[in-house]
Amino acid sequence: MSADAIRSARAYLLRVAEPPASALWRFVAEHGPVEAARRVRTADVPDRVAAETAARRQLDLATRDLELGAAQGARLVIPEDDEWPAWPLLSLEVATGRGVEGMAPPLALWVRGEAVLDDVLAFAVAVVGARAATDYGESTAAEFAYELTDAEVTVVSGAAYGIDGAAHRGVLAAGGVTVAVLGCGLDVGYPAGHVGLLNRVVQRGAVISEYPPGTQPARHRFLVRNRLIAALTAGTLVVEAGRRSGARNTATTAGLLGKAVMAVPGPITSAMSVGCHQLVRDSQATLVSSVSDVVDTVGRLGSGLARRGAGARRRTDGLDPESLRVFEALPSRGGRSPDAIATESGVSLRRVRAVLPALELDGLAQRCDEGWKQRNDQGASRRRGDDDHDPRVGRGDA
Amino acid sequence: MSADAIRSARAYLLRVAEPPASALWRFVAEHGPVEAARRVRTADVPDRVAAETAARRQLDLATRDLELGAAQGARLVIPEDDEWPAWPLLSLEVATGRGVEGMAPPLALWVRGEAVLDDVLAFAVAVVGARAATDYGESTAAEFAYELTDAEVTVVSGAAYGIDGAAHRGVLAAGGVTVAVLGCGLDVGYPAGHVGLLNRVVQRGAVISEYPPGTQPARHRFLVRNRLIAALTAGTLVVEAGRRSGARNTATTAGLLGKAVMAVPGPITSAMSVGCHQLVRDSQATLVSSVSDVVDTVGRLGSGLARRGAGARRRTDGLDPESLRVFEALPSRGGRSPDAIATESGVSLRRVRAVLPALELDGLAQRCDEGWKQRNDQGASRRRGDDDHDPRVGRGDA
């Protein structure tokens, strides 16, 4: 099956079903995208898939969408691509497997931007909040975003006015990488006042949408989009939220997906902090008042962010001395057998065998043909086009 | 044993041991205050009691202290008095019984003020916080205190500048009853700038101390005093607190005593909210942003405050219809047998027998010689000198 055929099939499928399309997602998982697309086209599908695709299955715009996207500087990233953010999106797969409604993983993602998706999303936190943010909220969002960038954490947000925009601006001010997830097509230019900001995000980060070119924004699409913001990150930070806020929806979804949910407190006199206080009071969110709190919270949930969110020096900070010795005995290229690692590190073979899988879970070691080696995907700033065979340079080394 | 002899013995004991004196407290509980005082005077006591009393046992100032107190408008309230706040102080007894250090109940309390202690402390919340409070903190403390008064909850605090003072002023502005607990003698006039405020507290509420007349303020006495603030209330609300704040000590003690601990959030940029945020983040305190949150939190901990903190109308608000019918079948004077209550209420005898003890726990019913009656100690504003045989009028009825 050619890569082009697969990409074309997914472009078609992304167009014919309104996300989240859980029956179609399962159908594709079962039959593969090309076969699934063929059967959707010919209406040779189970009822549940037909229900999701019947209205649009004639819209065979894959070639046009891919050409249009390319002309607009967008690419379609598919699960078959190396850069597909499989690990963060696993949470949606798990939730869907458990029958949670509305949590189907995306069939593919339209992306504009220089960032390599899986890299940039390896250590990410969502910064979300009210459109009608206060000065306090906007400056807090920008400050957190700036400091998260310093801590080598990628910021993910929407593209709305208020907190979303302030978060992206904070990252850009720090010279960092930021990701915006839209509830409309990448070419729609919504909201109009943020077109310039999104173009700046594209230069270093990524603007993402599962909606094909030309898809108009709609309230339900922002709610559906929120699941991607929650899923693509290790945790969601609500900076300001009114009593009924879309940000609270993202927070609830993040909780549902087992991600960290955090909220920034504010004056009790501020209507824009009511939602944050309610989340904390209801034990749905952890109160955070600094980026150090954020890293601590996300780290405590076992995502390993606190450890992995930095360069090689920092990502081993949480290791005990024995694990550190084993880690340092791992080659960065090629591989080494547990025996050789034991010799190199001076740690007993029995302990080496116990420590290696733990290092693997922490994202510090990986198995290879020759044994074990250091896992090198440490930076959040690998650009597309970087030579994958070069040692990757984290932002901390820049 | 005459009441005067007991009071005199306790005045003596209060003078000879620096609180909290757990060995002396246990000794008094075992032998009674008069016998305990006699044996302390003659040094006929176990080593642990001797350690607490040896330095001052010659200070036989009971008569002088009682006369001086009376001249200064203060009375010594002792556990043998009707107004002794036995129920709230039970938490100290329990903690001491469990061997928790520093939690000995007071041997007696010096009191200035019109309030009847057990009444005024039946439904109380501590409002505490930093001396160096911000405008936000002071206005929040005053506002909460004002609204707690409206909700028929007594405010208890220290007498410091900042949050303490703002809380008392908020109650006084609402025409309510407030209680100040001091870490020095009632006649010491500390802090100097709050002498006028404390005199106003005395007019409707109470100023309390376990320290005999003339005892000078000292840092350790404020920490010891904090256990009384925590114990005398159903919960402690920290309005503002820096990283190291005495208010956090009170909060920790309240938690230790099984009382509700609450904290008001504020801007993350405010150093005076750091302690509050830390308490919430560490799950030591529940975030509250309104008095309704406070009543809800304290009520949830089973103190019954939410239900009992109001007049007759309100205190039955939480009852299910069946319990309400049983309650309404209870006479306010005399008593009625379960049989007669079943007839009156139309609720089965079996259910009446189940509901009555629950109403008793809720403070709504009490056993008497003739059976059961409504429990009437509902108001927080009974004044000393009110005829105890009159139906008591809650503030809600004023």
Side-chain angles (χ1 to χ4, degrees):
Chain A
M1 200 70 66
S2 83
D4 281 356
I6 295 172
R7 197 172 314 275
S8 179
R10 288 198 177 265
Y12 164 77
L13 293 166
L14 210 50
R15 174 65 79 177
V16 299
E18 180 78 23
S22 59
L24 179 58
W25 181 81
R26 284 201 192 86
F27 190 69
V28 171
E30 192 179 346
H31 300 285
V34 174
E35 170 68 2
R38 189 193 63 74
R39 289 184 54 184
V40 169
R41 276 193 188 90
T42 55
D44 174 21
V45 293
D47 287 352
R48 291 200 56 203
V49 178
E52 288 175 359
T53 55
R56 297 191 194 149
R57 69 181 175 83
Q58 313 289 2
L59 287 175
D60 205 342
L61 302 177
T63 306
R64 193 212 67 163
D65 283 350
L66 288 166
E67 284 172 6
L68 190 59
Q72 293 167 348
R75 64 191 187 275
L76 185 70
V77 177
I78 59 175
E80 291 78 6
D81 288 333
D82 283 346
E83 68 166 312
W84 182 254
W87 189 77
L89 290 175
L90 189 61
S91 56
L92 291 174
E93 211 166 311
V94 169
T96 299
R98 288 183 183 150
V100 182
E101 285 296 309
M103 291 298 134
L107 292 163
L109 289 169
W110 289 98
V111 180
R112 276 179 72 207
E114 289 301 310
V116 177
L117 274 199
D118 67 331
D119 269 3
V120 81
L121 293 168
F123 328 113
V125 165
V127 178
V128 300
R131 278 193 301 274
T134 67
D135 288 349
Y136 168 72
E138 292 204 9
S139 65
T140 300
E143 185 64 30
F144 271 70
Y146 192 102
E147 291 181 22
L148 282 167
T149 301
D150 276 353
E152 313 266 334
V153 177
T154 299
V155 169
V156 175
S157 191
Y161 299 125
I163 299 300
D164 291 11
H168 292 306
R169 278 188 289 266
V171 175
L172 294 171
V177 175
T178 184
V179 174
V181 187
L182 308 188
C184 59
L186 295 182
D187 55 346
V188 169
Y190 179 87
H194 274 175
V195 169
L197 177 65
L198 291 174
N199 284 335
R200 283 193 289 145
V201 169
V202 162
Q203 283 164 28
R204 287 187 57 96
V207 180
I208 297 178
S209 175
E210 62 185 321
Y211 296 102
T215 307
Q216 292 302 304
R219 185 170 157 67
H220 72 90
R221 290 193 174 119
F222 289 107
L223 293 173
V224 167
R225 179 276 316 262
N226 288 348
R227 88 188 193 292
L228 294 185
I229 293 179
L232 290 171
T233 52
T236 290
L237 171 66
V238 185
V239 176
E240 278 194 327
R243 201 169 286 279
R244 300 158 178 278
S245 164
R248 289 186 63 180
N249 169 266
T250 309
T252 304
T253 304
L256 197 66
L257 296 177
K259 312 280 186 163
V261 184
M262 298 158 282
V264 177
I268 59 170
T269 46
S270 167
M272 281 301 119
S273 288
V274 167
C276 291
H277 295 157
Q278 203 60 48
L279 283 168
V280 172
R281 188 165 162 72
D282 294 346
S283 303
Q284 288 185 270
T286 301
L287 182 150
V288 293
S289 46
S290 66
V291 162
S292 143
D293 283 351
V294 172
V295 170
D296 184 42
T297 303
V298 175
R300 274 194 292 186
L301 280 192
S303 76
L305 177 65
R307 218 176 291 160
R308 297 165 64 199
R313 183 183 57 76
R314 280 216 216 147
R315 67 189 184 131
T316 56
D317 274 354
L319 294 183
D320 59 79
E322 188 188 63
S323 300
L324 190 62
R325 278 160 62 194
V326 172
F327 172 77
E328 288 176 344
L330 294 173
S332 56
R333 295 166 182 238
R336 188 170 274 166
S337 72
D339 257 312
I341 295 165
T343 306
E344 176 73 19
S345 65
V347 174
S348 76
L349 180 59
R350 192 180 59 81
R351 290 298 306 150
V352 166
R353 287 209 169 107
V355 166
L356 283 169
L359 290 174
E360 183 178 35
L361 277 175
D362 282 339
L364 293 169
Q366 63 185 108
R367 297 168 207 258
C368 57
D369 292 340
E370 305 90 331
W372 291 79
K373 62 176 181 176
Q374 286 190 3
R375 188 167 161 196
N376 282 325
D377 50 350
Q378 66 199 49
S381 68
R382 180 162 60 104
R383 303 290 189 85
R384 292 202 306 140
D386 286 2
D387 184 347
D388 277 2
H389 298 287
D390 274 353
R392 293 165 192 174
V393 179
R395 273 182 286 160
D397 307 310
Chain B
M1 201 68 67
S2 84
D4 281 357
I6 296 173
R7 198 173 313 275
S8 180
R10 288 200 177 264
Y12 164 77
L13 293 166
L14 210 49
R15 175 65 79 177
V16 298
E18 181 77 24
S22 59
L24 179 58
W25 181 82
R26 283 202 191 86
F27 191 68
V28 172
E30 191 179 346
H31 300 283
V34 174
E35 171 68 2
R38 189 192 64 74
R39 290 184 54 184
V40 170
R41 275 194 188 90
T42 55
D44 175 21
V45 292
D47 287 352
R48 290 199 57 200
V49 178
E52 289 175 357
T53 56
R56 295 190 197 150
R57 69 182 176 82
Q58 313 289 2
L59 287 174
D60 204 343
L61 301 176
T63 307
R64 194 212 67 165
D65 282 350
L66 287 165
E67 283 172 7
L68 190 59
Q72 293 167 347
R75 63 190 187 276
L76 185 69
V77 176
I78 58 175
E80 291 78 8
D81 287 332
D82 283 347
E83 69 167 311
W84 182 254
W87 189 77
L89 290 175
L90 189 61
S91 55
L92 290 175
E93 212 166 310
V94 169
T96 300
R98 288 184 182 148
V100 183
E101 284 296 309
M103 291 297 134
L107 291 162
L109 289 169
W110 288 99
V111 180
R112 277 179 73 208
E114 289 302 309
V116 177
L117 274 199
D118 65 330
D119 269 5
V120 81
L121 293 168
F123 327 114
V125 165
V127 178
V128 300
R131 279 192 302 274
T134 68
D135 288 349
Y136 168 72
E138 292 205 8
S139 65
T140 299
E143 185 64 32
F144 271 70
Y146 191 104
E147 291 181 22
L148 283 167
T149 300
D150 276 353
E152 312 266 335
V153 177
T154 300
V155 168
V156 176
S157 191
Y161 299 125
I163 299 301
D164 291 11
H168 293 306
R169 278 188 289 267
V171 176
L172 294 171
V177 175
T178 183
V179 173
V181 187
L182 308 187
C184 60
L186 295 182
D187 56 346
V188 169
Y190 179 87
H194 273 176
V195 169
L197 177 65
L198 291 174
N199 284 335
R200 285 193 288 145
V201 169
V202 163
Q203 284 165 27
R204 287 188 57 95
V207 181
I208 298 178
S209 177
E210 64 186 319
Y211 296 101
T215 307
Q216 292 302 304
R219 184 171 157 68
H220 72 90
R221 292 197 173 116
F222 289 107
L223 294 173
V224 167
R225 180 273 318 260
N226 288 347
R227 88 190 192 290
L228 294 185
I229 293 179
L232 290 170
T233 53
T236 291
L237 171 66
V238 185
V239 177
E240 277 193 329
R243 201 170 286 280
R244 300 156 179 278
S245 165
R248 289 186 62 181
N249 169 265
T250 309
T252 304
T253 304
L256 198 65
L257 296 176
K259 313 279 186 164
V261 183
M262 299 159 281
V264 178
I268 58 171
T269 45
S270 168
M272 282 300 119
S273 289
V274 167
C276 291
H277 295 158
Q278 203 60 46
L279 282 168
V280 172
R281 188 166 162 72
D282 293 347
S283 303
Q284 287 185 270
T286 301
L287 183 150
V288 294
S289 46
S290 66
V291 162
S292 143
D293 283 351
V294 171
V295 171
D296 183 42
T297 303
V298 175
R300 275 194 291 186
L301 279 191
S303 76
L305 177 67
R307 221 176 287 160
R308 295 166 65 200
R313 184 184 57 73
R314 279 216 216 148
R315 65 188 185 132
T316 56
D317 274 353
L319 295 183
D320 58 79
E322 186 188 64
S323 300
L324 190 61
R325 278 160 63 195
V326 172
F327 172 77
E328 287 176 344
L330 294 173
S332 56
R333 295 166 182 237
R336 188 169 274 164
S337 70
D339 258 313
I341 294 165
T343 306
E344 176 73 20
S345 66
V347 174
S348 76
L349 180 58
R350 193 180 57 80
R351 291 296 304 149
V352 165
R353 289 209 167 107
V355 166
L356 283 170
L359 289 174
E360 184 178 33
L361 276 176
D362 282 341
L364 293 168
Q366 63 184 107
R367 297 167 207 260
C368 57
D369 293 339
E370 305 91 331
W372 291 80
K373 62 176 180 176
Q374 287 188 4
R375 187 168 162 195
N376 280 325
D377 52 349
Q378 66 199 49
S381 69
R382 181 163 59 102
R383 302 288 189 87
R384 291 201 308 141
D386 284 0
D387 183 349
D388 277 2
H389 297 287
D390 273 353
R392 293 166 191 173
V393 180
R395 271 181 288 161
D397 306 310

